[in-house]
Amino acid sequence: MKENGFYPELAVKFKPIRSGKSDGRYCENKVKQEFKTEKKNSLWAGDITYIKTSVGWVYLAVVMDLFNREIIGYSLSKKIDTELVKGALGNAIGRNGVDNDLIFHSDRGCQYSSKGYQQLLEEKGITGSMSRPGCPYDNACVESFFASLKKEKIYRRRYETMEEVRKDVFWY
């Protein structure tokens, strides 16, 4: 190629510059990738994933207690909205209660930064924490759980209904 005068053209990927300023919608990152805690119910993390079915996408929101990496609450829905994440947090609260110094960590998704969700955290006395913009490593523990769930269960079959997804997720 060089002998014939052909040279590769390199494309530079656009990366937006983030100032780090917030309009108040996002919480400060209190976890800072320190996913270990000495006490149960002191640090929870949550996220959402997508599951493909023959009738469309199903969305799964989970809440993980980082003390023992246990999923303590989850919610499934055909809609990816604030109610989905509120349902998962409600399940976790119903199962474990809320301690005084509980921190809930998530990404900056619109479901977690919504007024309704932030009000729920405030009502329950939970301190919010959010990942830095565009940094998946800040919520790596939940991302790792989703990777295992998908490899071990979800990708191994084809789902026809949401009820099939619900059963598999429950048993996993």
Side-chain angles (χ1 to χ4, degrees):
M1 286 179 64
K2 189 175 183 180
E3 291 172 6
N4 292 317
F6 293 110
Y7 298 96
E9 279 191 42
L10 300 176
V12 179
K13 188 175 179 182
F14 173 75
K15 291 184 181 178
I17 298 172
R18 301 188 192 272
S19 66
K21 295 178 184 172
S22 173
D23 61 0
R25 288 181 46 199
Y26 305 112
C27 303
E28 176 190 344
N29 185 352
K30 294 174 178 60
V31 177
K32 298 182 178 138
Q33 297 184 19
E34 293 293 327
F35 301 122
K36 293 182 181 170
T37 180
E38 301 296 321
K39 191 175 128 194
K40 192 173 182 170
N41 283 342
S42 63
L43 181 56
W44 293 353
D47 203 356
I48 302 171
T49 194
Y50 304 69
I51 300 170
K52 190 175 184 177
T53 70
S54 61
V55 292
W57 292 102
V58 173
Y59 306 99
L60 169 66
V62 300
V63 176
M64 175 186 285
D65 189 338
L66 296 181
F67 171 71
N68 57 0
R69 302 291 199 265
E70 179 183 3
I71 300 301
I72 57 174
Y74 73 95
S75 180
L76 281 162
S77 177
K78 289 188 178 185
K79 293 181 183 178
I80 185 167
D81 57 8
T82 304
E83 295 307 312
L84 174 69
V85 293
K86 286 170 81 174
L89 183 63
N91 287 341
I93 292 170
R95 183 174 178 198
N96 286 31
V98 176
D99 290 352
N100 299 7
D101 55 350
L102 175 61
I103 295 173
F104 180 83
H105 183 75
S106 68
D107 60 16
R108 290 182 170 223
C110 61
Q111 298 84 5
Y112 293 107
S113 63
S114 69
K115 284 185 180 181
Y117 195 78
Q118 293 299 315
Q119 284 176 345
L120 177 62
L121 290 178
E122 193 175 317
E123 285 171 14
K124 300 296 181 180
I126 301 171
T127 304
S129 171
M130 289 185 171
S131 301
R132 293 171 292 171
C135 185
Y137 304 113
D138 284 349
N139 208 9
C141 47
V142 182
E143 298 289 353
S144 177
F145 166 76
F146 283 148
S148 298
L149 168 69
K150 288 182 173 184
K151 285 182 226 166
E152 295 173 11
K153 199 66 164 168
I154 304 300
Y155 293 153
R156 293 176 181 245
R157 66 175 292 195
R158 181 174 165 81
Y159 294 101
E160 298 297 326
T161 66
M162 187 167 162
E163 198 54 41
E164 292 175 359
V165 176
R166 191 177 309 280
K167 285 179 185 175
D168 268 4
V169 168
F170 174 78
W171 286 109
Y172 186 81

